[in-house]
Amino acid sequence: MDFFDPILLAVIVAGLYMAWNIGANDLANSMGTSVGSGALSIKQVIIIAGVLELVGAVFFGDKVTSRIAKGIVPIDEIMAVDPDLVVIGSLAAIAAAGFWITLATFYHMPVSTTHSIVGAVTGFGLVATIYVDSFSIDQIQWLVLAKIVISWLTSPLIGATLAFIIFTIIRIFLLGRVSDPYNLEKKFIYLQILSACFVALAHGSNDVANAVGPISAAFCAAGVTTGGVVPEWVLAIGGIGIVIGLATWGWRVIETIGKNITELTPTRGFSAEFATALVVFFHSGISIPVSTTHTLVGAVVGVGLAGGLEAVDLSVIRKIVTSWIITVPVAALTSMIIFVILIEVL
Amino acid sequence: MPIEYIRSVLGIFGESPFKPVHTHAQKAVEAVHKLNMAVDAYCHGDYITVETLNTEIFAIEYEADIIKQTIRKLIPSSIMLPVDSNDLLSFLKPQDSITDNAHHTAHWLTLRKMKLPLEITEGLLELMERTVKTVDAYESTVDEIAKLLETSFSKKEIKRILKMIPIVEELEHETDITKKQLQQKIFDHEDELGGTGVFYLISLVRDIGNISDSADTAADRLRTMILRR
C-alpha cells in the first residue's frame, strides 16, 4: 500500500478533520482564558498558540501518539495477519471519534476528543478479535486502558489541587500584601502570557495524538513509515491541522469565551493555566492521553475553592461526568460498526 | 453566530452576584437622596415636586426589586461563591428594605398636605440629612466588597471593611437620637398640629427612621457574611 492509497488518504483526511476540531474548540478553550483576562488579544493568542502548539506536537507529541497508535491495541499482532485490517481499523476509529465530536459540538456537550479517540481505538481492538483468530480480547492492554481512564478522573483533581495551591500562594504572599491589587493584576499579565504559552505547548504534546494516533498506526501498517518511532512529519500534519482549526474557527470560540469570562483576572488565569499545563505536560511525559479541557475545568474549580472566583457553576461537573461516561462506549460502538461496514464493502 | 459549533468551558464560570448587589445598594442611595429632596420640597410646600419625586422613587424601588430577583436567580445550589450564599441573601434583604422604606416614606408624604412649625421643619431636615449620611456611608462599605473579592479576602481588606461598618452604625445611632428628639418636639407642638397632624408626623418620622435602621441591619449582616466565610 503506498501513500496515495485511497483508504490511507481517507485516514489522513479524517485525521485532519479531527485535528481541525481539536484546534477549533479544545485549543480555543484553553487559550480563551487569556483573552478573557485581557492578557492577550485574539490575534496574539492565535499566533502564540499556533507556534507553541506545533512545537509541542512535533517535539513532545510522540509518546502519547504512539500510546494511542499501538499502546492500547497491540497492532503488531493484527498486522502480522493482515496489515489492511489495521489501516481500515484506524479509519474506523478516527471516523467514529470525528463523528461523535461533531455531534457533541453541535449539542454543546463537554465531550473530550481524548475520550472519543481512546473509546474508538478500543472499539477497533474489540472488533478485530472477531476477524483475527490469533488476536484475543486478552491481548488488548486493559491495564493501560485502566490507567488512562483513572487518569481522566485524577487529572482534573490534580489540576484543581495545584491551582488551589498556586492561587493560595499568590493570595497570601501577593494579593494580601500589596496596597493596590489592580496594579498587581497588571503585572501578572506577563506571567499569564507565559502560562498561556505553556498551555499551548502542553496541549500540543498531548492532544495531537487524538488526531494522528490512528494516522500513525495506519502508516505503520501500510509500510509508509518503518520502525517504532512516530516520525515528526506525521506529528506536524496533526499540529498544522490543529492550528488551521484555531485560525479558521477557534478564534470565534475564543471571542465568545473571552467576552464572557471577565472574572478570570490575570492572577486567577495564571493559576488555572499553569496548573493545567503542568498536569497535561506531565501526562504527555508518561504517555497518558488526558483531556486538557477537563483539566482546565478542574483547575478553575480549584481557584474557586481557594476563594478566587466570584461564582463557580458546579453543575457543569455533572455534565462532564455524564458525557464522559457516554463517550467511551458510544465511540467504541460506532468505531466497531464503521469497521464492519468497511470490511463488508471493501 | 450562524451555527454555534462550540464546545466550551464557559459553563463553569457562574455569573457574579456581587456586581448586581452593588448596583442594588446604589439604587438605595438614589432613592434616599430623592426622598431627601422630597422632604425638603414638602417642608417648603412644593407638593408638585413631592408628587414627581414619589413617582421617581417608586420607579427606583421597582428597579431594585428586579435586581434583587436577578441576584436570587444567580445563586442556585450548584453555584459556589466565596461566601455563604445564605449569608449573602440575608444581607441583601435589609439592603432591599432601605429602598422599600424610602418608597413608603415618599408615598406617605403625598397623602397629607400640612404647614409645619419651624422647629419641626428643622428637625425633619436634620433627620433626613443624617439618614442620607448613614446610607451614603453604607454604600461606601458595599463598594469595598469589589476590592475584597479582588484580593480574595485579604486580611488587610477585611480589616478595612470591618472598620467601615462601625461608622455606619455610629451614624445610625446619631440618626436615632435626632429621631427621638424630633418625636418629642412633635408632641410639644400637639395643640398646634392637632391629633391627625401628630399621628401623621409621628408615622413619617418613624418611616424615615426605618431607613437608617435597615442600613444598620444590612451593614451588620455584611459583617457576619465576611466573618463567617
Side-chain angles (χ1 to χ4, degrees), chain A residues 89-113:
Chain A
S90 301
L91 181 59
I94 194 82
F99 175 71
W100 178 237
I101 283 298
T102 306
L103 205 68
T105 309
F106 272 119
Y107 286 94
H108 311 301
M109 291 194 292
V111 161
S112 156
T113 46

Side-chain angles (χ1 to χ4, degrees), chain A residues 138-157:
Chain A
D138 303 339
Q139 280 164 284
I140 293 175
Q141 300 293 308
W142 295 110
L143 211 68
V144 171
L145 198 63
K147 232 161 89 180
I148 293 172
V149 171
I150 288 168
S151 75
W152 292 346
L153 203 71
T154 54
S155 57
L157 290 175

Side-chain angles (χ1 to χ4, degrees), chain B residues 135-190:
Chain B
V135 176
D136 280 352
Y138 170 75
E139 194 269 336
S140 309
T141 315
V142 174
D143 192 22
E144 282 298 308
I145 296 178
K147 217 168 180 187
L148 197 64
L149 292 167
E150 175 53 46
T151 62
S152 182
F153 293 83
S154 76
K155 279 190 186 132
K156 210 159 75 185
E157 274 308 312
I158 291 179
K159 243 184 223 165
R160 228 163 86 101
I161 204 164
L162 290 184
K163 267 187 198 155
M164 291 174 83
I165 292 168
I167 300 173
V168 180
E169 290 169 332
E170 180 57 34
L171 288 167
E172 190 275 333
H173 178 67
E174 285 167 18
T175 314
D176 213 33
I177 292 170
T178 310
K179 182 184 83 178
K180 284 172 185 161
Q181 288 168 346
L182 183 56
Q183 283 171 332
Q184 184 58 60
K185 279 176 202 159
I186 292 166
F187 283 106
D188 289 347
H189 289 269
E190 63 179 51

Side-chain angles (χ1 to χ4, degrees), chain B:
Chain B
M1 204 168 280
I3 311 158
E4 290 227 5
Y5 192 67
I6 289 176
R7 262 179 301 123
S8 84
V9 292
L10 208 63
I12 194 73
F13 296 95
E15 206 177 312
S16 168
F18 296 99
K19 283 172 198 87
V21 162
H22 186 213
T23 316
H24 187 259
Q26 285 169 325
K27 290 288 165 202
V29 169
E30 213 183 313
V32 173
H33 278 255
K34 282 204 190 289
L35 178 67
N36 188 29
M37 287 156 70
V39 171
D40 190 70
Y42 187 87
C43 293
H44 291 94
D46 183 359
Y47 303 114
I48 295 168
T49 306
V50 172
E51 283 289 352
T52 317
L53 286 166
N54 174 48
T55 315
E56 285 173 24
I57 294 168
F58 186 43
I60 294 168
E61 194 254 1
Y62 180 72
E63 285 167 37
D65 262 353
I66 303 278
I67 298 170
K68 188 181 74 183
Q69 285 162 21
T70 314
I71 295 167
R72 287 207 180 127
K73 274 184 209 146
L74 286 178
I75 31 185
S77 59
S78 67
I79 293 284
M80 182 172 77
L81 300 175
V83 296
D84 189 309
S85 55
N86 287 323
D87 285 352
L88 179 67
L89 289 174
S90 67
F91 135 72
L92 184 65
K93 206 170 174 248
Q95 177 172 293
D96 194 52
S97 301
I98 302 174
T99 322
D100 272 349
N101 287 322
H103 164 237
H104 287 155
T105 315
H107 177 244
W108 189 254
L109 280 178
T110 63
L111 296 180
R112 188 170 196 265
K113 298 180 177 75
M114 69 184 288
K115 208 170 148 39
L116 302 171
L118 184 65
E119 209 185 7
I120 303 293
T121 303
E122 280 170 352
L124 266 177
L125 294 178
E126 192 196 337
L127 180 64
M128 271 319 294
E129 197 191 316
R130 290 194 187 280
T131 303
V132 166
K133 267 190 194 163
T134 311
V135 176
D136 280 352
Y138 170 75
E139 194 269 336
S140 309
T141 315
V142 174
D143 192 22
E144 282 298 308
I145 296 178
K147 217 168 180 187
L148 197 64
L149 292 167
E150 175 53 46
T151 62
S152 182
F153 293 83
S154 76
K155 279 190 186 132
K156 210 159 75 185
E157 274 308 312
I158 291 179
K159 243 184 223 165
R160 228 163 86 101
I161 204 164
L162 290 184
K163 267 187 198 155
M164 291 174 83
I165 292 168
I167 300 173
V168 180
E169 290 169 332
E170 180 57 34
L171 288 167
E172 190 275 333
H173 178 67
E174 285 167 18
T175 314
D176 213 33
I177 292 170
T178 310
K179 182 184 83 178
K180 284 172 185 161
Q181 288 168 346
L182 183 56
Q183 283 171 332
Q184 184 58 60
K185 279 176 202 159
I186 292 166
F187 283 106
D188 289 347
H189 289 269
E190 63 179 51
D191 295 338
E192 194 181 332
L193 295 166
T196 321
V198 168
F199 165 73
Y200 177 74
L201 286 176
I202 286 291
S203 298
L204 177 66
V205 167
R206 192 171 291 152
D207 281 351
I208 296 173
N210 285 341
I211 297 171
S212 53
D213 268 351
S214 300
D216 179 71
T217 312
D220 184 51
R221 298 255 173 95
L222 177 62
R223 174 165 45 210
T224 309
M225 181 180 91
I226 293 166
L227 289 176
R228 257 173 39 110
R229 65 171 289 278

